[in-house]
Amino acid sequence: MDMENLIHMANKIGEFFESVPDREEALLGISGHIHNFWAPRMRSQLLECVDSANSEGLKPIVLEAIRAHRNNLLPRH
Amino acid sequence: MHKQLNEKDFGTPERTSDREVTLEIDGMQVTVTAGTSIMRAAAEGGVNVPKLCATDSLEPFGSCRLCLVEIEGRRGFPASCTTPVEPGMKIRTQTPKLQSLRKGVMELYISDHPLDCLTCPANGNCELQDMAGVTGLREVRYGFDGENHLASKKDESNPYFTYDPSKCIVCNRCVRACEEIQGTYALTISGRGFDSRVSPGTDQSFMESDCVSCGACVQACPTATLQEKTVIAIGQAEHSVVTTCAYCGVGCAFKAEMKGNEVVRMTPYKDGQANEGHSCVKGRFAWGYATHQDRITKPMIRSKITDPWREVSWAEALDYAASEFKRIQKQHGRDSIGGIVSSRCTNEEGYLVQKLVRAAFGNNNVDTCARVCHSPTGYGLKQTLGESAGTQTFKSVEHSDVILVIGANPTDAHPVFASRMKKRLREGAKLIVIDPRKIELVSSPHIKAAFHLPLKPGTNVAMLSALAHVIVTEGLLHNSFIAERCEDRAFGQWRDFVSLPENSPEATQQITGVSADLVRGAARLYATGGNAAIYYGLGVTEHAQGSTSVMAIANLAMATGNIGREGVGVNPLRGQNNVQGSCDIGSFPHELPGYRHVSDSTTRHLFEQAWGVEIQPEPGLRIPNMFDAALDGSFKGLYCQGEDIVQSDPNTQHVTAALSAMECIVVQDIFLNETAMYAHVFLPGSSFLEKDGTFTNAERRISRVRRVMPPKAILADWEVTVQLSQRLGYPMNYKHPSEIMDEIARLTPTFHGVSYAKLEELGSIQWPCNDDAPLGTPIMHIDHFVRGKGRFIITQYVATDEKVTRKFPLILTTGRILSQYNVGAQTRRTENVQWHEQDLLEIHPHDAEDRGINDGGWVAIQSRSGETVLRAKLSERMQPGVVYTTFHFPESGANVITTDNSDWATNCPEYKVTAVQIKPVSEPSDWQQKYTRFSKAQQDLLDQARPGHA
Ligand code: SF4
Ligand code: SF4
Ligand code: SF4
Ligand code: FES
């Protein structure tokens, strides 16, 4: 799917959780949201992006959240 | 439920009081609520006192003098409609004297009435006729040759009803209905004495006046003076069936008054709990689309969208659809197809579509059009309060002292609820309106908003945080409520956040454009004015921060303790009839019925056992994700029931490109809608008059929809889904929609107590309805929140990406008007077009002048998504810098302009904010020209399938 759009969507989620005072909670919030609402194919693509050299479009907090909770985001089938 | 044609009329409204009064009427003991009229007390005791100017939907007026009674120990003959009961009263309703007085009154009326009863449309259903009978009128001594009104001219300007002054008895019921029930004040009695007659506006015709065609006056009129044109054309009905309006989220109950299978008229049902006997122009009059010649009643297929349609049997159409879905899955994988549930269809139909997707397709790629309207409500309220629904019943508004309306325009979009709200406002409740436009409520007859905060589109969150800032920093919090009912830590974090100087009204003024004083005043009023209720609509949800705003609203209600009782609460005004229901029954890709996540294994197992299949534990694609996936080639097939995604979803060209890239689109609808032009299989659907089922309105009220005529396409919508599923190798066994509801109830805790039998008994049910609440739940979160403790959530304002620039210096916002509904497929096929025959671009005169744009001239509107052309309407309702349009007509292309920006949490599109430029032009846009050619070509392909039709 359109990678640029996925990055944009992930960043918007990140923007919301940036204001959560507890950083760990914010990271969990971001990964939890993506886990709960994104179809596996979208998550796989996002993970690919994080793993590739093209992750600079992602906000630092999003990158951090995905890296910290990578396992949670892996498709289950 | 077949009803008597007319419900009993008690003459005057029901009163509420803890006190009871016992009196004697015609020798019979009667006990009634204090404040009740003698007339009503008699009616409750079974005695119907003659009456003409009284009816129980209106306050008594005491003008006709027909309802006179004798009261022991009192002189004279008081009117029973205006005299309240007193303990120990002894009343006589019938004596020779009363009889002769009444006869005299009737004689006067009849001497100025055309005696054409046999050919009058009200014949058999006329109160004047009834009263002539009841009073024993046998002769008219005054003769008919004196001065009379028999030659007065009819006003036929309204497309739905006629005003025939020759039959008017000047009982004033219509005037009072327009004032008390509808709140429009369009009618007056003009002239004096003998000359007095009802008049819309200042001697205008109905269509020229302020009349909004709600029908309340027609309903109240005891004679044929105000009469539906359908009754004039086909006569009085012979039976009636109670059902639910299929238009907006108010969910009004109507009696379909029938002659065989033909609807004579739809009249609002007095015992309908959502509407209490009121209606709007859509539900009351705009039902003719159901039998419109554009209805498609035979299944059709084609292999390419450039091929002509071919009419085929149901079996062939369903075989073809099933084989295509199977082929695609084989070729592109199980997840390459999906389905869309419509918020216009019933709960039962929606449930079956999501079941088909999860069980027969074997994936979770199901979504509903609520995605594009209230998905942020579901998310935001669940996060904060624990349940994805509004907290109140409509009736609750009668107890509100302060009403805050944000991002909603109830007089146009939820008219019947607006009338109830306006009634409360006229009684003195204070009003705060937060809206970029000066909506009608801001100043309407006998109503003036205490505060109108005309914020810039896209700045709701900044505004809501500023209100919270004032409440916290000025010490207006409801501390005991918060301490007892809310999570402590989250509250503390939220309090610290909103207290920051950057959230003060003085700081946010730059963002919202609203002066700090106004914001402070509004916040104080909301926090300290007594019971305060918030009502909101799509002006809150359809933003990049839609979910954040919903949470900010819940925060405000919790902070001030305005939740968990009558008169308060958080009230999303749902757009379509079954938005609430379609969300409840599991049509989101991540949730099973009852808002339970697909990853929750207990719930999944419950459904797996019941359905006998394995359910995927991962969320499926949401509608916008489906489009993106279609464009990248991984999504190829769609079953779309009752939804017109091409017209209603944003960025039309993106949507049509996505659909064009797919291999099998199955559309089930009553018309060849815009989406059907991209379809390969067309399955003819049923209108609400042809189906049994339920709708759930904005107050969580489940109401029955009842079939009044057989489906035009033979199969009911639910049967079509069942047959498709069968062919996909997943048989479903239901004999009636009631069995589908039984299954929903069995598998969904909040619905455990719901059944058709109980709906029959109670009229309607507000969920949750289960062992804890066997009669349903009018008000939620009374002693504790559904999630336990309420959770405050920090709502940081983030400016939308859709910023005005030099290239696109204006903000376009979109909305709705009263007479048209959503994509207009239904209302455009009725006389409602007389009120709105095209979408217009509203623009402030300054912006228009700067660009040389004249009222009524063509203007091009351009955004980064596309360009369209509309006619301009200069309007002071707009603030400079903001333009507005509706999206009821496909050729307007309002969604060619809107972008694919969306809410961060739910992907609900940001319909309310698009940066645009506008300029005067002389011809339609490229897109419009292409659209006209495409739609003409598609119409030809349809005509080829139906030679001789139309
Ligand atoms: S139009 Fe009907 S309701 Fe109105 S005053 Fe005349 S008779 Fe009464
Ligand atoms: S139709 Fe409604 S708005 Fe129009 S005059 Fe009658 S009551 Fe008033
Ligand atoms: S208010 Fe809504 S539900 Fe009621 S009649 Fe109008 S459109 Fe129908
Ligand atoms: S009904 Fe009481 S005065 Fe008319």
Side-chain angles (χ1 to χ4, degrees), chain B residues 535-571:
Chain B
Y535 290 86
Y536 72 90
L538 304 181
V540 162
T541 54
E542 290 177 346
H543 283 281
Q545 281 198 290
S547 292
T548 317
S549 298
V550 172
M551 295 187 278
I553 285 171
N555 290 339
L556 282 181
M558 290 189 288
T560 53
N562 275 311
I563 205 142
R565 60 178 192 279
E566 289 206 282
V568 299
V570 175
N571 303 276

Side-chain angles (χ1 to χ4, degrees), chain B residues 658-681:
Chain B
L659 296 189
S660 307
M662 293 172 68
E663 293 175 4
C664 180
I665 295 175
V666 176
V667 165
Q668 185 173 356
D669 207 286
I670 59 177
F671 298 116
L672 191 85
N673 63 18
E674 301 302 306
T675 307
M677 297 188 189
Y678 293 85
H680 307 89
V681 179

Side-chain angles (χ1 to χ4, degrees), chain B residues 209-240:
Chain B
S209 75
D210 291 337
C211 168
V212 293
S213 197
C214 71
C217 55
V218 183
Q219 185 72 2
C221 182
T223 64
T225 315
L226 288 163
Q227 185 79 65
E228 295 88 352
K229 289 185 175 171
T230 48
V231 174
I232 297 176
I234 52 185
Q236 294 286 335
E238 44 79 19
H239 75 273
S240 76

Side-chain angles (χ1 to χ4, degrees), chain B residues 245-252 254 275 278-284 413-417:
Chain B
C245 177
Y247 282 118
C248 85
V250 178
C252 297
F254 277 87
N275 55 321
H278 191 33
S279 60
C280 85
V281 61
K282 293 190 284 290
R284 177 79 152 92
H414 303 89
V416 166
F417 176 68

Side-chain angles (χ1 to χ4, degrees), chain B residues 671-730:
Chain B
F671 298 116
L672 191 85
N673 63 18
E674 301 302 306
T675 307
M677 297 188 189
Y678 293 85
H680 307 89
V681 179
F682 186 90
L683 305 175
S686 315
S687 78
F688 77 114
L689 296 169
E690 296 152 44
K691 55 178 66 168
D692 277 311
T694 55
F695 292 150
T696 308
N697 77 352
E699 29 158 28
R700 294 169 277 106
R701 186 184 299 286
I702 307 165
S703 301
R704 274 299 311 276
V705 182
R706 292 184 178 85
R707 175 195 281 207
V708 300
M709 55 175 77
K712 293 208 175 307
I714 315 293
L715 291 185
D717 288 328
W718 67 271
E719 291 172 306
V720 175
T721 309
V722 165
Q723 294 212 10
L724 179 60
S725 192
Q726 166 92 30
R727 286 169 166 82
L728 289 163
Y730 182 76

Side-chain angles (χ1 to χ4, degrees), chain A residues 1 5 8-9 12-13 15-16 19 21-22 25 33 35-43 75-77, chain B residues 335 379 489 493 551 590 597 599 616 618-622 625 628 632 634 794 796 798 801 904-905 907:
Chain A
M1 288 167 64
N5 193 24
H8 182 77
M9 279 161 53
K12 288 282 141 191
I13 295 167
E15 262 173 11
F16 174 80
S19 59
D22 180 326
E25 219 176 293
H33 192 90
H35 167 262
N36 283 344
F37 295 97
W38 286 30
R41 74 186 83 175
M42 298 161 69
R43 301 206 308 260
R76 267 188 274 174
H77 59 98
Chain B
D335 296 338
Y379 178 81
R489 175 165 170 268
Q493 290 176 341
M551 295 187 278
H590 65 288
H597 201 273
S599 65
Q616 285 198 29
E618 295 276 16
L621 296 167
R622 301 178 279 196
N625 311 145
D628 287 348
D632 86 357
S634 65
I794 290 177
Q796 173 79 53
V798 181
D801 296 336
W904 66 269
N907 275 168

